[in-house]
Amino acid sequence: MERTVEVVPEAGLHARPASQFVRTANQYDAAVRVGRADEGDDGLVEGNSMLAVTGLNVEHGESVRLVAEGEDAAAALDALAAILTTPVEADDGEGDAEGDGP
Amino acid sequence: MRTLSGVGSTPLSGVGTARWYRPDALDLPERPAPETVDPARERERFADARETAREGIRRARDRTAERVGEDEAAVFEAHEQFLDDPQLVEAIEDAIDGGVPAEHAVDDAFGEAVAQFEGMEGRMAERADDLRDVRDRLLRALLDAGTGDLAALPPGTVLLAERLTPSDTAELDPGVVAGIATATGGRTAHAAIIARSLAIPAVVGVGDALADVAEGATVLVDGEAGEVVVDPDETRRAESEGLDAPVVEERVTTADGRPVEVAANVGRPAELDPAVARGADGVGLFRTEFLFLDRERPPDEDEQYEAVTAALSAFPGERVVVRTLDVGGDKQVPYLDLPAEPNPFLGRRGVRLSLDEHADLFETQLRALLRAAAHDGGDLCVMVPMVARVEEVEAVLDRVGSVAADLDDEDVEYAVPELGAMVETPAAVHVADALAERLDFLSIGTNDLTQYVMAADREHDGVADLHDPLHPPVLRAIDRTVSAAHERDAWVGMCGEMAGDPALTELLVGLGLDELSMSAVTVSAVKERVRAVDTDAAAALADEVLACETRAEVAALLS
């Protein structure tokens, strides 16, 4: 089974979202693949590999396709879609360090 | 004295003795003939190295979570996933089975992955750094190499490196490392973020010139200016004087007993602990923008409540002055859809937005603040930025009243905090008496006040000489504000760069400020200065300074 979602976190499929994605993919009894929605089957990579997932370089706002096979496929898709559609504060460390207001 | 330029990453400065960190001493032994390699033993070595690396990553994660924050620690979760990456593990184990020793198998597999990410833009380049970090952990374990004794550096070290990994940085003790300078890297790299959160002065991206700095040289790292100064002269050192001062934790008074509160400016939660550690009496400016920037929708009431109560808990019983949302045309907040403005600093910013098109955001923020004011053991103060009119303060008081009434109706616990206004426009200076009549306190924002009084853009190099709070018009505006507030029994603080300059402490005490708030790093140095002040002498100095007509005359009196 499969699903297509738009990536909401500011960091795209990087940093914390990527990490959560891979961890979650590993938790289910399902083979998960992920790729850009418009790249068809050729664009799919293994969802349990941090290297492969971050290597996609999927940015905020892009549509991704999730394909899962196996006993927990439906549950895995639900959990992964939730990660991809939940906003996270971008962890880019840009602070307001030098005091802009005062 | 020689000055190298880079990118200021942590806006603090420090001086120390240069020590080179060269972790690249991970030299692989000669590659043996495949038939001499025992794959079973190499697999075991690889498995052991993975466990050692895993323990190290988890330690770094825990240490970073504890000292810096959960967000910054997340990078180490990614590291652990690289360690377990099926593609990498498979490639390594295949190579081992084909007669390659574990260290070469690791180096090859990671090398290929690094090469894929390297040279790509932005985040992908950071991934290459993360992969190198994990590779080095594995190689160190396999080669039995040390970590370059980062955890055991002598005090007063300025660490120089081609690059620093997040793991390296998390290892550093801010009490020992006076500064960091790296040849590569940008200010958003994970290592830079961690250094910033640990309040270690840092300059990154210095380039090849850094290599010429000799081991043992005296080096000043100025993360504000983005400069690395080799053999700094006295003048240059004086600029960062006091940053190494011992921490003064207790509250201080002048030599003759007048209390002066010395507080810290805090821009995000990770800065709370360093502020406590540097001896701040409280928070004189808690910016709330971090809650609003870089995200898809505004924070809800509970999230804001949590953030403010976290600040109150960090300073039990001490004053925490929270500034309400101060965005405007110069700051990007996607969901607010603020139009670009020709003169953002003269446009719709601060309280102007809060009272008008974003009244809903303001109301949510006020609800969170009033609830937080009821937090046990806290002393919350709330101030609004960019005030120019008495009407604005009256409108804010109205809103506070109606939010309080709502919370009352809903039976939600709340308290009304002390309320204040930032004095950063000449208009506010001229009505400071009327503002103080209606409020509990005023806080002078000298960076913006200087900009508006002198009509000089603070970002514009061409008018940098005008942007200086020692110009008599700015000093007189400060004096006027303090006097007006005191006549109305309101207290007056100052937040902004001027408050944190120990060379100006006597003058500011003489001008009558009750509270000074600054970057945490200068708190103790300013406290030391306060202790030495005689209030009568300080008042006399202030009178003399206020009589000056030019900046040069002011500078001469203060030298």
Side-chain angles (χ1 to χ4, degrees), chain B residues 82-118:
Chain B
F82 280 126
L83 191 66
D84 289 332
D85 196 284
Q87 291 187 15
L88 287 167
V89 172
E90 208 173 294
I92 292 165
E93 292 185 339
D94 282 355
I96 287 175
D97 290 345
V100 177
E103 48 268 41
H104 288 104
V106 165
D107 197 43
D108 293 348
F110 275 87
E112 209 169 292
V114 167
Q116 274 175 28
F117 285 105
E118 226 170 24

Side-chain angles (χ1 to χ4, degrees), chain B residues 267-281:
Chain B
R268 48 193 283 140
E271 292 168 19
L272 286 167
D273 285 347
V276 174
R278 294 276 184 170
D281 295 334

